Amino acid sequence: MTLESLKPGHRARIAAIDWGALPPADAKRMRALGFETGVEVGMAHHGVFGGRDPVAVSIGRMTIALRKSQASAISLEAD
Amino acid sequence: MSENFRVALLGNPNCGKSALFNKLTGARQKIANYPGVTVERVAGILALPDGTQAEVIDLPGAYAFDASSPDEEVTRQVVQGEFPGEAEPDVLVLVLDAGNLEQHLVFAQEVLALGKPTIVALNMIDMAERDGLKLDATVLSQALGVPVIETVAVRRRGLDDLKSAIADARAQIGTHADRPVMDATERRLEARTIAKATVYQTSKARRVGDRLDSVLLNPWAGPLILLALLFVIFQAVFAWAAPLTDALDGGAGALGAWVEGALPESFLRDLLTEGIIAGVGSVVVFLPQIVILFLFILIMEATGYMARAAFLMDRLMAGVGLSGRSFIPLLSSFACAIPGIMATRSIADPKDRLTTILIAPLMTCSARLPVYAVIIAAFIPAREVGWGIGLQGLVLLALYLAGIVGALIVALVLRGTLTKGGATGFIMELPRYQLPSVGDIALGLWQRAWVFLRRAGTIIFSATVILWVLLSFPQAEPGESQVDASFAGQIADGLNVVLEPIGFNREISLALIPAMAAREVAVASLATTYAIDAENEEAEAEGLASTLSNRWSLPTALAFLAWFVFAPQCLSTIAVARRETNGWKWPLFMVGYLFALAYIFAGITYWSAVALGL
């Protein structure tokens, strides 16, 4: 399962991130915000329009807005 | 040494750095752009407890030196003394959010590794406590090897201690501390270790912000709340600003009248009254709208709501290759493109920002309304088309929609061509909610107002003088009208050759020249031209709307409306675009493409209307 399909209110640990699938600038920014293998993330909110994109992800003590296309590069560990 | 003592504030975005900077330096700030980039350089003077002074610069927020935005690149270059024309700072004040220590300590490791004299401000300690965190600053200080001062910028807590620490750090200027240089993974591990040691108590209590978000980002309530808020903002910009705008307008008129009475008749007097006071006055009247709009924008930014609005609107903006951050600037442009373009500073991606600036003038601003109103009143019959919908209102709506659709198409085209690439998607921290500080908002308003008056004002000033000279020279022979004899009249003759094919007459060509200063001037100058032309008193008294409906064909009037949907007839907008893009290249491109669109669509409108036999 990848991050964009995590249900709101649920949490999971990052299993792997496909950095190559992300534009380099996005990858840099996401690394700087602490997205890494082994880190716990949660789905805080889904967007409103068009496929409920973007999503708001909680990581550490922050909430980060991401587009689903970016979140789909992040694979989660199964429960 | 004291004049040269330079302190730089740096830290992650949302660490409360700017609030701290405001409290350290007060209102005496200098805002400029770093040369060659559209990043703001904010500097101020800090009075130290020992009576000396330091120059403080507030560096743009950065997540890392490994830049992924122009802001971060500027921060890295300035701190490392590589920015041309910018002296290397002597002492760094590293601002950390106590409530998000683990994340902020990652960048801190990178800053500390530089070995420069550094002081850590452990900021927003009150918010961290509110969230149930307890921190030990001594542990943090030992782990980092630098002084740590607990601060609450908005409550002035810890400011004196911070100032003393800055003064003390002067002794270490030029020294280099050997601190470990780590790679990104090591920095994050180290940050985690230090944060665990420093934060000795956490609570699982649900944060206030989470509860707010569950309402404000709710799929049903969220957009409705945003819509209601936007309605209030629009109402305020149009309604609250009106009396102030009228007062300024009246003030400029009164000043002009007073100067006219006080000075003997001369060219100097005419230049002062008709040129400078009337011209600069026509720009200053935008000030109330700008201040009111920025009041809302600054409050939305300071509370953290702006990021939520961007989150809600991102999907819609993504459709034309922009992101949620462009939403507020474009919306502001319906009031006036000037604050809209100024508000694009919150867009981090330079290409998104440029695209937004370039399409902002297509949003129907309030200055177009007088033009639309006159033409619609003169040419569109006030009849209902059914269901209580009036034809005049429908035409007005169509004009607004034409601007929006035009903007969306232009954005799509630009994102595929000139501002291609760099589509960094949308990654945005949703900062914690905060109560804004009145002082910070007031300071921000003052700075925006001043930037507008000073920079746009100087360009407007020169342009209005030039325009006045064009309209006043050479002087008319007796019996000849001044406008016909003037350079502007001659230019209008030339312009007419170009504009005749799209259905414009010479009077329109003439009105378009002074309307370069501001669109609504077109109405006044049409009135003047036809008043001067009027052969008898009767014709003069019949009012502009009926004069126009007698003299223009319907296709001409429709073409004129189409022209104003696109034409960049506003010097202030061009001046602000120049300031915000740091050069003439993009404003000239903007003017060029907008005039081209105006010409094409006015032509299409005219010939279609003629073909339909209207």
Side-chain angles (χ1 to χ4, degrees), chain B residues 411-427:
Chain B
L412 256 182
V413 170
L414 285 175
R415 286 310 255 139
T417 53
L418 286 174
T419 56
K420 193 178 180 166
T424 51
F426 181 65
I427 303 176

Side-chain angles (χ1 to χ4, degrees), chain A residues 8-64:
Chain A
H10 288 248
R11 306 189 64 81
R13 210 166 277 282
I14 297 177
I17 302 177
D18 183 2
W19 294 113
L22 292 164
D26 288 8
K28 253 185 211 172
R29 174 60 27 98
M30 282 165 70
R31 270 187 214 273
L33 287 167
F35 285 95
E36 241 182 286
T37 306
V39 170
E40 198 187 62
V41 290
M43 181 58 69
H45 300 278
H46 276 172
V48 181
F49 305 105
R52 315 216 50 197
D53 199 17
V55 294
V57 175
S58 63
I59 176 166
R61 299 186 65 82
M62 290 179 292
T63 308
I64 309 291

Side-chain angles (χ1 to χ4, degrees), chain B residues 136-394:
Chain B
D136 189 337
T138 326
V139 173
L140 185 62
S141 176
Q142 276 163 3
L144 298 177
V146 295
V148 174
I149 316 288
E150 293 184 20
T151 54
V152 179
V154 285
R155 315 249 171 285
R156 299 192 151 273
R157 203 169 118 191
L159 284 185
D160 290 335
D161 292 344
L162 183 59
K163 286 179 192 172
S164 310
I166 292 172
D168 293 346
R170 194 152 38 173
Q172 309 165 25
I173 290 179
T175 62
H176 179 91
D178 266 327
R179 302 197 190 103
V181 179
M182 294 175 273
D183 68 24
T185 315
E186 289 168 340
R187 280 198 293 270
R188 193 154 282 282
L189 287 173
E190 183 71 8
R192 195 166 301 159
T193 312
I194 298 175
K196 277 217 174 92
T198 305
V199 183
Y200 62 87
Q201 190 184 319
T202 56
S203 89
K204 287 276 173 196
R206 204 172 167 218
R207 288 179 292 158
V208 185
D210 293 342
R211 282 195 288 272
L212 265 175
D213 267 344
S214 65
V215 177
L216 295 177
L217 298 184
N218 179 287
W220 297 103
L224 285 177
I225 293 170
L226 178 58
L227 195 69
L229 181 64
L230 297 178
F231 179 76
V232 171
I233 295 176
F234 260 68
Q235 194 56 35
V237 169
F238 279 113
W240 301 0
L244 297 167
T245 306
D246 291 346
L248 279 175
D249 211 13
L255 182 64
W258 179 79
V259 171
E260 200 157 353
L263 291 178
E265 191 178 336
S266 63
F267 271 112
L268 179 70
R269 187 189 77 176
D270 290 348
L271 174 65
L272 267 174
T273 55
E274 293 166 15
I276 295 170
I277 296 176
V280 174
S282 74
V283 177
V284 173
V285 293
F286 289 118
L287 191 63
Q289 289 194 342
I290 289 180
V291 169
I292 290 175
L293 188 63
F294 268 103
L295 174 67
F296 283 100
I297 289 182
L298 288 171
I299 291 175
M300 283 166 79
E301 266 172 1
T303 51
Y305 184 72
M306 187 67 95
R308 273 75 183 182
F311 176 80
L312 289 173
M313 297 309 294
D314 178 64
R315 186 62 194 84
L316 296 184
M317 304 304 297
V320 292
L322 293 172
S323 84
R325 295 178 201 248
S326 300
F327 175 66
I328 296 290
L330 289 179
L331 193 85
S332 310
S333 303
F334 279 105
C336 176
I338 297 158
I341 289 175
M342 285 163 72
T344 59
R345 290 191 181 168
S346 57
I347 306 173
D349 183 76
K351 283 176 175 164
D352 270 5
R353 178 164 185 254
L354 180 59
T355 313
T356 311
I357 291 175
L358 291 176
I359 63 170
L362 283 169
M363 302 292 135
T364 301
C365 67
S366 52
R368 283 178 176 94
L369 270 177
V371 181
Y372 289 171
V374 165
I375 305 295
I376 288 176
F379 290 93
I380 310 296
R383 61 178 163 86
E384 285 193 7
V385 290
W387 300 298
I389 301 165
L391 185 61
Q392 291 187 331
L394 212 57

Side-chain angles (χ1 to χ4, degrees), chain B residues 551-594:
Chain B
R551 300 194 184 208
W552 292 10
S553 67
L554 181 57
T556 294
L558 294 176
F560 188 70
L561 286 177
W563 173 270
F564 270 95
V565 170
F566 298 99
Q569 300 222 281
C570 177
L571 280 176
S572 326
T573 301
I574 301 167
V576 168
R578 196 215 80 87
R579 181 192 138 75
E580 296 296 320
T581 60
N582 247 329
W584 279 111
K585 186 173 106 184
W586 290 109
L588 288 178
F589 169 77
M590 182 173 93
V591 170
Y593 99 80
L594 287 171

